[in-house]
Amino acid sequence: LLKKSVITLSNSINKKRILLFGVGWLGKELVHSLFDDGYILHVVTRDNSKWSNLDAKINQIHVYTDTNELDPSIKNVSFDLVCVMLPPSSFDGYAEVIKWICKQTQEVKHFIYTSSTSVYKNHDGVVNEESKVDEQTTVYKAEQEIKKAFPNRFTILRLSGLISEDRHPTKYLLRKEMINEGSSPVNLVHRKDVIRAIQTLMRMNGSGEVFNLSYPDHPSRKEYYGAFAKKYFGQTLCFIDDGNGKTIDGSKFAMKYEYKYEMSIWDVEINNI
């Protein structure tokens, strides 16, 4: 399962208690966005060095997950919310890891999990939360563990491809001589919009629902990545104009919570990648 980890606690009192798993590229930005929001943050991380500059604000408590036991000092802490942002690529037996987390946090009032739109089967046309999924995908199996553990107390966010100024698929496409599915739509969402969505949920109770998060503009791969390759790297990408592909509908979350995607996928200023 998970390796030796660290739980980090703020010194605030009488605030909503939040436990975060997965404080990497997405999670670390979420943590920093929450420091001034009056929460008591409990952060599970493999690498406590990333928090060394915050030692004056936080206390770090080790947890040894190979024994499937949280540190005794927080065993009786009542969490209002757990948010899991662990990427499946980081673990063997990922669904079992999620199951273990569910077991450790059974009494939580709201369990948020960042899943992926990769759960949907490949087909052409619009895909929403009721569309068919591939039940063999790792993240779908993880979702099922959460649904069993927290009926009506969970929210699952299925994220489209994540982008930001320091992360963009164009960089990886530059290595390819020929790129397939040039006519297929892109399904992307900016990290800042995901963080805002999670912050919105932190003010809500779990409702046992699944939501897609995807920016509502879906240009073709050829149009979108071709433009970014030329603008930021001075290169021309070669595409095969095949495929139509799925278009992820992320409007359900926007309608339920009066949420607006603010970060256009076209306005990303690529740097440091």
Side-chain angles (χ1 to χ4, degrees), residues 22-30 50 85 87 159 161-168 189-192 194-195 273:
V23 285
W25 179 82
L26 173 63
K28 190 172 183 179
E29 289 298 310
L30 175 64
K50 68 175 68 175
M85 298 165 286
L159 310 182
L162 288 165
I163 59 172
S164 74
E165 288 68 26
D166 61 350
R167 174 172 169 173
H168 203 277
V189 63
H190 197 284
R191 174 171 58 185
K192 289 182 179 179
V194 175
I195 288 173
I273 64 172

Side-chain angles (χ1 to χ4, degrees), residues 27-67:
K28 190 172 183 179
E29 289 298 310
L30 175 64
V31 168
H32 285 285
S33 76
L34 296 175
F35 273 129
D36 297 325
D37 289 346
Y39 297 116
I40 303 176
L41 297 180
H42 305 241
V43 181
V44 179
T45 178
R46 296 178 182 181
D47 180 13
N48 61 340
S49 64
K50 68 175 68 175
W51 310 108
S52 59
N53 63 328
L54 299 172
D55 284 344
K57 290 185 174 182
I58 58 178
N59 300 307
Q60 299 185 39
I61 300 177
H62 292 275
V63 57
Y64 296 88
T65 54
D66 55 348
T67 62

Side-chain angles (χ1 to χ4, degrees), residues 160-208:
S160 286
L162 288 165
I163 59 172
S164 74
E165 288 68 26
D166 61 350
R167 174 172 169 173
H168 203 277
T170 302
K171 175 184 176 181
Y172 306 100
L173 294 177
L174 294 173
R175 306 169 185 171
K176 297 179 178 291
E177 293 184 4
M178 193 66 66
I179 303 169
N180 294 324
E181 300 180 344
S183 300
S184 296
V186 300
N187 297 289
L188 301 169
V189 63
H190 197 284
R191 174 171 58 185
K192 289 182 179 179
D193 276 336
V194 175
I195 288 173
R196 287 179 48 250
I198 294 173
Q199 288 174 317
T200 297
L201 290 173
M202 287 180 172
R203 299 189 291 268
M204 310 294 177
N205 294 322
S207 58

